[in-house]
Amino acid sequence: MSGLYIHIPFCRKRCNYCDFFFITNTKRKKEFLNALSSEISLLSDQYNGEKFDTVFFGGGTPTVLTSAEISDVIKNLEDSFNIDINSEITMESNPEDFSDVSTDNYLKAGINRFSFGVQSFIDSELKFLTRQHTSEMAEQVIRLTSSLTKNISVDIIYSLPLQTEEDINYSISKAIDCGANHISAYSLTYEKGTVLYKSAEKNPLLKKDPLKDSEFYFKVSERLISEGFEHYEISNFARPGYRSRHNLKYWTYKNYLGLGPSSHSFFFNKRWNNLRSYSGYVKTLIENRLPSENKYKPDTEQIKLEYIMLGLRSEGVNFDTFKKLTGENFETEYKSETEELFSAGLAFIKDGNLKLTEKGYSIADEITARFF
Amino acid sequence: MTKSNIRNFCIIAHIDHGKSTLADRLLEKTGTIEKRNMIKQVLDDMDLEQERGITIKLHAIQMKYNSPDGEVYTLNLIDTPGHVDFSYEVSRSLAACEGALLVVDATQGVEAQTISNLYLAIDNGLEIIPVINKIDLQNSMVDEVTEQIIELIGCKKEDILLTSAKVGTGTDEILESIVHRIPAAKIEPEKPLRALIFDSKFDIYRGVIVYIRVFEGSLKPGDKIKSFFTGNTFEAEEVGHLRMGRSKSGQLDSGDVGYLIAGIKDLNESKVGDTIYRTDQPITEPLPGYKDVKPMVFSGIYPSSTEDFENLRDSLSKLKLNDAALTFEPETSAALGFGFRCGFLGMLHLEIIQERLDREYNLNIISTVPNVEFIVYTTKGEKLIVDNPSLMPDPQKIDYIEEPYITANIITPTEFIGNLMKLANERRGVFLATNYVDAKRVDLHFDFPLSEIVFDFYDKLKSYSRGYASFDYDFKDFRESKLVKLDILLNGDPVDALSTIVHRDKAFEWGKKLCAKLRQLIPKQMYEVAIQATIGSKVIARETISAMRKNVTAKCYGGDISRKRKLLEKQKEGKKRMKQIGSVEIPQEAFHAVLSLDT
């Protein structure tokens, strides 16, 4: 079964580290929702033979949309696509958008998994990251949500300048305590073009310390694993039964269809993306055309590399899947590479999967490049 | 024998002392070339030469000079290469002349290279006309330099000409001196042809163009000719003089300098220093001074990517067309794959070839640490020539090893004698003599193992003397030395391309420094890497590169897989510049690590 991704391109304000696509003018919500509606109807025929079992509202900030608006979109999706009754329906959520009744309303609208963009439970860190909420707000919203559903994920960012081990431990403890059963722990990245990147260029104190980053990476993993979480992707941890089924579509080479500006799709062996420009996206749909571009079919060599890259980052390279995708036998094709990884304690084989160890995860890019 | 109006001469000068500028003035003054057509410094026409301020290949040019005495003279200026690596070629150019202008920079004074070329000129019986150049500069030391020259060649003060080639003063006097002080070329037309090859170059349309000085007899198209030493026979197709280009003429006569085209395909069929004669006029004696030039410094040159091997072979073959001294033979290295063992006259020659492969042939190459040639006597009584350290036999099979020695002159202001003695000591120099050039400068004479000057000796010399000392050398002999082969192991695997032959007393320090240097140059890998220096089975130094800590991008969501794949492909592209040896990836710079060791 496949996944559906809906990109909600609005944020109230840009965070200094973010390079994702969105606009800050929420007044254009109606225009966007109309365009999205057209996109859904243009796509529905083409995909009526496909079954979907995950829906993911990402952004931007999906919680800019009210529960009524979300409800309409979900209804529209259910009418237009074949969506499984047991689907995982996730919404990226910003604590500052929630009132006492929001969770309940979103649940009623059909959302059954909340992914909170918390980043930290320390106010000075939130301020540094120019987030709009306070730690108190976040705690309240998550505790409340947790009383209604267990399917809660919390994003945490580590390797902030001047952050101590106690700091990062505090945020993690708090997230678990509030009821998170899934935690995405990202090392702060300085993406070109962001405010943060420019500040770090000027102020060396803001630069990432590779030693500390590596240390924190292992500390975070250790901590979460000791709390009963499974490390199932480079930056993702979940208690049993709480992995992100949607994100696993990307990592296990399943099909997914992206809607909304700048979303990415992989379907019928082809990859493409929607127009990155908001106005381009809207305009194309007004003309009743699909806003997709850069469509291409990865060749066998590219498929191989993509699958290895994704597999090594998450649940492992599955030998049967590799054979199905490329027609080749992974174990014989990459004998010397895998043996090298075993002997260095960077990977192991389990149930027909080549999977990286904790140490292997930490240098996954280097390892992947070995297979290229 | 009749007297002629031909004067054949050359200019001896240190780099930057103004040889090319002076040549330009002479060409201008004699109307050989018009001022407005002059590209700065006509004689150096290769890019590399101009950049490095040196002349690599020789050229010759003919001028017609109307002397105030009413006669018209033919002046042949034969250019000489300006670096120690090419001293044999210099000696053959000098042999084609009767006289030389000794040009000394008024602000710098006499330098070692000038002296060694001067001695070559004196050995060849040339009339020397000393010229002090750059007298217009404020910091010129005309009196001091005059004294040095008098000391050096024992001339009179009034024999020395003063000029500023840049401004153009003194050019007339120089021209008059060439005509009246340099002996006229001897004319012996009745004798059988004997012509000296002093240079040659390859032209893709005409084959080899041979530059010759005709001493006796004459040569015209259609003559059947033979090279005395190589024994190859040819038929002369075209002869002529050298003006701004080739100027065809019916015949070259005794005394003339000119060119010969004879369908020669390979520079090695007509070597510099060889004597050309006519098969219908057999000769018993060649012209003196021929030497078969042999490479002194060797290095393995490998393509960075294996698919460039044939490309590299083609490029080396093309370079060799114009460079008889370059040698190359295929070899294989466990570390670097298929490549070539190349032989060079010296380090400059090596650098020029490397640079030309890069610039003109766009080849990305890895070259191994340069080494000299060793003569190995085995316990079984065999004599082996070893030009690749990795091919050195096991220590227990070696009776003894000989290495090449050079004899060197270092000219330095006296205040640096102490420093340079120390340097010579560090480099296993054998002190021979000190000669005072003048009150402030001294000529230190040493023998050195050639291997000791291959690595950064020149730079060291300059830094030990604040840039003032100059240096020149010539091959001397082979001598027995206590040498050992130092191997480098990465995680237990020997890297043949990093093996070196060093003196036993230096091996420990050398091994330690090399390991430390490699530790800096080899990036962190997926796991710990042990670097070991060994002699035989004995480990003499060790360093460890700790494993890479973290190399992973945090985000890979939103489904943008292409972007991530492209990033990794880029990363892989960067890795292509590395060589995989066993399980370790080594950047190309590491193969030069030895060169940058502070010894």
Side-chain angles (χ1 to χ4, degrees):
Chain A
M1 281 194 274
S2 311
L4 265 176
Y5 175 82
I6 322 292
H7 190 83
I8 309 300
F10 300 108
C11 275
R12 295 185 205 285
K13 193 178 169 297
R14 180 179 282 278
C15 301
N16 63 354
Y17 59 89
C18 176
D19 72 334
F20 271 47
F21 175 77
F22 62 84
I23 58 168
T24 48
N25 186 354
T26 53
K27 287 185 187 125
R28 301 174 80 168
K29 271 195 323 190
K30 199 159 173 61
E31 177 188 60
F32 166 70
L33 289 169
N34 283 336
L36 181 63
S37 208
S38 312
E39 191 180 13
I40 291 169
S41 71
L42 279 174
L43 289 167
S44 69
D45 276 356
Q46 208 182 332
Y47 292 86
N48 69 13
E50 305 299 324
K51 265 203 122 180
F52 296 88
D53 68 344
T54 66
V55 178
F56 194 103
F57 289 93
T61 310
T63 44
V64 161
L65 300 184
T66 62
S67 52
E69 286 163 334
I70 287 286
S71 174
D72 286 347
V73 174
I74 292 177
K75 273 202 194 90
N76 196 355
L77 290 172
E78 283 170 344
D79 291 344
S80 312
F81 297 101
N82 185 352
I83 294 177
D84 191 84
I85 187 100
N86 292 317
S87 285
E88 171 197 271
I89 303 179
T90 308
M91 180 172 68
E92 287 180 342
S93 311
N94 279 10
E96 70 267 25
D97 293 332
F98 277 62
S99 70
D100 293 353
V101 292
S102 296
T103 306
D104 198 33
N105 289 340
Y106 282 128
L107 281 167
K108 282 182 185 135
I111 300 294
N112 58 27
R113 185 173 179 271
F114 292 87
S115 172
F116 286 105
V118 176
Q119 320 312 350
S120 167
F121 283 94
I122 296 171
D123 284 336
S124 60
E125 290 182 355
L126 290 170
K127 210 170 161 195
F128 171 78
L129 294 169
T130 61
R131 298 294 300 193
Q132 300 297 299
H133 65 272
T134 63
S135 56
E136 199 192 339
M137 252 187 235
E139 187 173 344
Q140 237 175 351
V141 171
I142 298 166
R143 281 192 197 282
L144 178 71
T145 305
S146 161
S147 67
L148 301 170
T149 175
K150 296 293 158 210
N151 213 350
I152 295 174
S153 176
V154 167
D155 286 357
I156 296 288
I157 293 184
Y158 65 91
S159 271
L160 300 178
L162 306 177
Q163 191 177 44
T164 64
E165 202 185 317
E166 288 76 55
D167 294 339
I168 183 66
N169 266 329
Y170 177 81
S171 286
I172 287 173
S173 301
K174 205 74 186 174
I176 298 170
D177 190 51
C178 289
N181 282 311
H182 184 285
I183 290 181
S184 299
Y186 299 109
S187 165
L188 179 64
T189 47
Y190 295 72
E191 302 290 347
K192 247 189 178 151
T194 60
V195 176
L196 182 66
Y197 183 89
K198 283 174 207 147
S199 318
E201 294 269 276
K202 285 186 210 132
N203 183 357
L205 273 179
L206 295 181
K207 282 225 163 82
K208 204 158 160 173
D209 171 1
L211 252 170
K212 196 173 103 176
D213 184 44
S214 152
E215 211 175 287
F216 278 24
Y217 173 83
F218 286 110
K219 293 270 189 236
V220 167
S221 299
E222 250 170 63
R223 178 73 211 285
L224 286 167
I225 290 166
S226 76
E227 295 280 354
F229 284 74
E230 291 167 327
H231 194 178
Y232 76 104
E233 197 264 351
I234 301 285
S235 308
N236 286 279
F237 301 82
R239 289 226 167 94
Y242 290 97
R243 294 186 182 194
S244 165
R245 281 159 55 193
H246 182 80
N247 281 334
L248 278 166
K249 303 269 187 225
Y250 304 145
W251 304 329
T252 55
Y253 230 72
K254 298 278 168 39
N255 288 334
Y256 49 91
L257 180 63
L259 289 84
S262 85
S263 63
H264 289 263
S265 300
F266 178 48
F267 235 108
F268 311 127
N269 302 318
K270 291 191 187 79
R271 294 195 182 278
W272 68 91
N273 63 272
N274 273 357
L275 295 174
R276 287 178 172 81
S277 134
Y278 171 80
S279 51
Y281 169 81
V282 171
K283 195 172 154 253
T284 313
L285 283 162
I286 287 172
E287 290 163 6
N288 227 20
R289 288 185 294 119
L290 282 172
S292 58
E293 62 174 5
N294 299 327
K295 191 172 265 190
Y296 75 101
K297 193 176 174 204
D299 58 29
T300 312
E301 204 52 32
Q302 289 170 328
I303 291 172
K304 241 192 243 178
L305 300 178
E306 286 174 355
Y307 182 62
I308 292 172
M309 167 183 94
L310 294 165
L312 291 178
R313 289 181 66 93
S314 59
E315 294 178 331
V317 177
N318 183 277
F319 303 147
D320 292 338
T321 310
F322 188 83
K323 176 102 193 174
K324 259 178 234 150
L325 288 171
T326 69
E328 281 176 31
N329 186 323
F330 183 87
E331 283 167 291
T332 48
E333 177 92 342
Y334 297 104
K335 196 165 186 289
S336 64
E337 284 86 350
T338 43
E339 275 170 5
E340 197 186 344
L341 295 176
F342 294 156
S343 67
L346 297 170
F348 59 93
I349 289 183
K350 201 184 163 193
D351 307 329
N353 277 290
L354 176 75
K355 200 172 173 318
L356 296 186
T357 61
E358 279 299 307
K359 209 171 138 207
Y361 267 155
S362 75
I363 55 167
D365 285 3
E366 173 71 21
I367 292 173
T368 307
R370 292 256 164 167
F371 288 86
F372 271 47
Chain B
M1 193 180 91
T2 29
K3 267 208 149 187
S4 75
N5 277 358
I6 300 174
R7 301 291 182 274
N8 297 320
F9 73 104
C10 59
I11 303 175
I12 296 170
H14 191 74
I15 299 159
D16 290 336
H17 280 201
K19 177 171 78 172
S20 303
T21 318
L22 178 60
D24 291 350
R25 287 294 92 72
L26 298 178
L27 296 176
E28 230 174 76
K29 199 80 192 174
T30 55
T32 313
I33 182 167
E34 284 187 43
K35 202 167 187 174
R36 64 173 183 275
N37 291 338
M38 296 255 307
I39 318 154
K40 198 178 137 280
Q41 300 179 359
V42 175
L43 286 178
D44 299 349
D45 67 0
M46 233 164 87
D47 278 359
L48 265 175
E49 293 179 9
Q50 290 204 347
E51 270 172 42
R52 288 167 177 248
I54 48 162
T55 311
I56 297 157
K57 288 302 283 180
L58 331 163
H59 310 263
I61 191 157
Q62 191 181 80
M63 299 168 257
K64 294 287 183 196
Y65 171 56
N66 294 297
S67 171
D69 69 10
E71 296 271 337
V72 178
Y73 294 92
T74 299
L75 310 183
N76 288 309
L77 167 58
I78 294 168
D79 198 15
T80 54
H83 190 275
V84 283
D85 287 356
F86 304 96
S87 63
Y88 171 69
E89 299 193 20
V90 174
S91 83
R92 294 308 82 207
S93 294
L94 296 174
C97 304
E98 276 78 28
L101 301 179
L102 171 69
V103 177
V104 181
D105 186 326
T107 67
Q108 305 288 324
V110 176
E111 310 255 8
Q113 200 192 326
T114 323
I115 295 192
S116 57
N117 284 349
L118 173 69
Y119 289 156
L120 277 176
I122 292 170
D123 287 349
N124 278 290
L126 267 57
E127 175 67 30
I128 309 293
I129 301 174
V131 179
I132 301 179
N133 189 23
K134 305 194 190 176
I135 55 163
D136 59 310
L137 294 183
Q138 275 194 347
N139 54 339
S140 68
M141 322 171 286
V142 176
D143 292 343
E144 257 179 278
V145 177
T146 303
E147 212 179 291
Q148 287 175 8
I149 292 173
I150 292 171
E151 179 77 23
L152 197 62
I153 58 175
C155 62
K156 289 189 211 113
K157 195 181 169 189
E158 48 281 15
D159 293 338
I160 302 172
L161 305 178
L162 300 179
T163 176
S164 164
K166 204 174 105 205
V167 183
T169 52
T171 317
D172 293 332
E173 291 79 356
I174 291 171
L175 284 167
E176 277 301 292
S177 299
I178 290 168
V179 166
H180 295 295
R181 283 162 67 176
I182 292 176
K186 278 189 201 165
I187 306 287
E188 301 180 273
E190 66 291 346
K191 289 196 177 173
L193 170 72
R194 289 206 299 173
L196 172 73
I197 302 177
F198 64 85
D199 190 21
S200 56
K201 75 167 193 191
F202 187 83
D203 180 291
I204 48 166
Y205 302 108
R206 307 300 308 268
V208 177
I209 301 187
V210 183
Y211 297 95
I212 53 173
R213 159 72 196 268
V214 180
F215 280 91
E216 293 148 6
S218 64
L219 174 63
K220 59 181 188 309
D223 286 344
K224 295 266 189 308
I225 52 173
K226 197 165 178 176
S227 297
F228 190 91
F229 289 98
T230 58
N232 297 91
T233 25
F234 311 97
E235 182 178 324
E237 288 169 10
E238 181 182 321
V239 297
H241 298 105
L242 297 153
R243 301 240 164 76
M244 281 313 288
R246 294 194 295 270
S247 162
K248 216 154 119 176
S249 66
Q251 184 163 311
L252 284 179
D253 292 309
S254 172
D256 273 343
V257 169
Y259 70 91
L260 158 71
I261 295 172
I264 304 171
K265 301 277 183 301
D266 185 335
L267 290 186
N268 283 312
E269 296 173 20
S270 57
K271 291 185 173 177
V272 168
D274 207 342
T275 304
I276 299 251
Y277 67 96
R278 277 160 58 173
T279 52
D280 60 349
Q281 303 171 336
I283 56 167
T284 49
E285 279 289 313
L287 294 163
Y290 175 78
K291 229 166 50 176
D292 200 8
V293 191
K294 288 206 174 81
M296 306 274 280
V297 174
F298 299 83
S299 168
I301 293 189
Y302 291 82
S304 284
S305 52
T306 42
E307 60 263 34
D308 273 339
F309 176 76
E310 283 306 324
N311 239 334
L312 177 59
R313 185 204 294 276
D314 288 350
S315 306
L316 285 168
S317 305
K318 280 180 193 149
L319 285 173
K320 192 170 167 53
L321 283 178
N322 253 323
D323 187 346
L326 171 69
T327 64
F328 64 96
E329 264 174 36
E331 72 170 7
T332 51
S333 151
L336 302 175
F338 291 95
F340 298 92
R341 173 100 335 215
C342 300
F344 309 92
L345 294 176
M347 285 303 283
L348 178 85
H349 189 205
L350 178 153
E351 280 168 32
I352 290 167
I353 297 293
Q354 283 177 352
E355 217 161 310
R356 292 187 67 182
L357 286 171
D358 176 38
R359 274 201 219 181
E360 294 168 35
Y361 296 93
N362 245 328
L363 277 168
N364 195 354
I365 56 162
I366 300 176
S367 52
T368 63
V369 172
N371 58 271
V372 301
E373 190 171 62
F374 302 95
I375 303 177
V376 179
Y377 294 89
T378 66
T379 47
K380 283 186 183 160
E382 298 158 301
K383 178 182 169 181
L384 305 170
I385 309 280
V386 175
D387 63 10
N388 179 347
S390 67
L391 300 178
M392 188 61 87
D394 291 337
Q396 63 272 17
K397 289 182 183 154
I398 297 173
D399 185 7
Y400 64 98
I401 304 173
E402 287 181 349
E403 65 174 329
Y405 268 69
I406 52 126
T407 187
N409 289 78
I410 298 171
I411 299 209
T412 175
T414 48
E415 65 212 87
F416 303 116
I417 293 177
N419 279 352
L420 294 173
M421 285 292 192
K422 187 169 155 254
L423 172 63
N425 195 32
E426 285 165 7
R427 299 302 176 102
R428 296 191 282 137
V430 181
F431 176 71
L432 299 177
T434 314
N435 297 311
Y436 276 81
V437 179
D438 58 28
K440 288 181 190 159
R441 286 160 38 115
V442 65
D443 176 1
L444 303 172
H445 193 181
F446 291 97
D447 285 350
F448 283 106
L450 175 59
S451 64
E452 294 286 346
I453 61 158
V454 165
F455 307 122
D456 76 343
F457 180 81
Y458 196 70
D459 295 337
K460 276 273 141 58
L461 181 86
K462 288 290 172 195
S463 73
Y464 276 53
S465 66
R466 282 197 269 122
Y468 283 107
S470 59
F471 164 75
D472 192 73
Y473 73 87
D474 208 356
F475 172 73
K476 196 164 184 183
D477 51 18
F478 275 86
R479 295 182 200 175
E480 185 178 341
S481 285
K482 300 268 177 263
L483 299 170
V484 291
K485 179 179 164 214
L486 185 76
D487 291 315
I488 294 292
L489 277 62
L490 292 179
N491 277 353
D493 297 325
V495 185
D496 58 359
L498 285 172
S499 292
T500 47
I501 309 287
V502 291
H503 193 266
R504 200 177 53 191
D505 296 346
K506 291 188 163 186
F508 281 85
E509 204 196 337
W510 189 268
K512 227 169 86 186
K513 284 183 172 164
L514 186 49
C515 286
K517 188 81 193 177
L518 286 169
R519 182 169 167 253
Q520 285 171 20
L521 289 173
I522 299 175
K524 285 189 158 74
Q525 316 266 319
M526 296 196 303
Y527 26 72
E528 198 175 276
V529 175
I531 307 168
Q532 291 168 302
T534 61
I535 296 171
S537 56
K538 192 176 163 202
V539 177
I540 60 162
R542 186 197 156 105
E543 290 275 351
T544 307
I545 303 171
S546 58
M548 169 185 292
R549 281 172 195 281
K550 186 169 177 243
N551 179 11
V552 60
T553 37
K555 286 188 219 166
C556 188
Y557 56 177
D560 188 358
I561 308 304
S562 326
R563 179 177 169 205
K564 175 81 183 142
R565 190 195 70 233
K566 282 174 192 157
L567 281 174
L568 279 163
E569 277 166 352
K570 231 178 172 177
Q571 185 175 343
K572 187 65 196 179
E573 215 34 56
K575 277 181 180 291
K576 272 192 184 159
R577 298 186 74 91
M578 309 256 252
K579 274 281 167 182
Q580 174 104 23
I581 289 166
S583 56
V584 184
E585 285 173 327
I586 307 184
Q588 299 183 14
E589 309 89 79
F591 295 99
H592 296 283
V594 174
L595 287 174
S596 50
L597 279 189
D598 192 25
T599 48

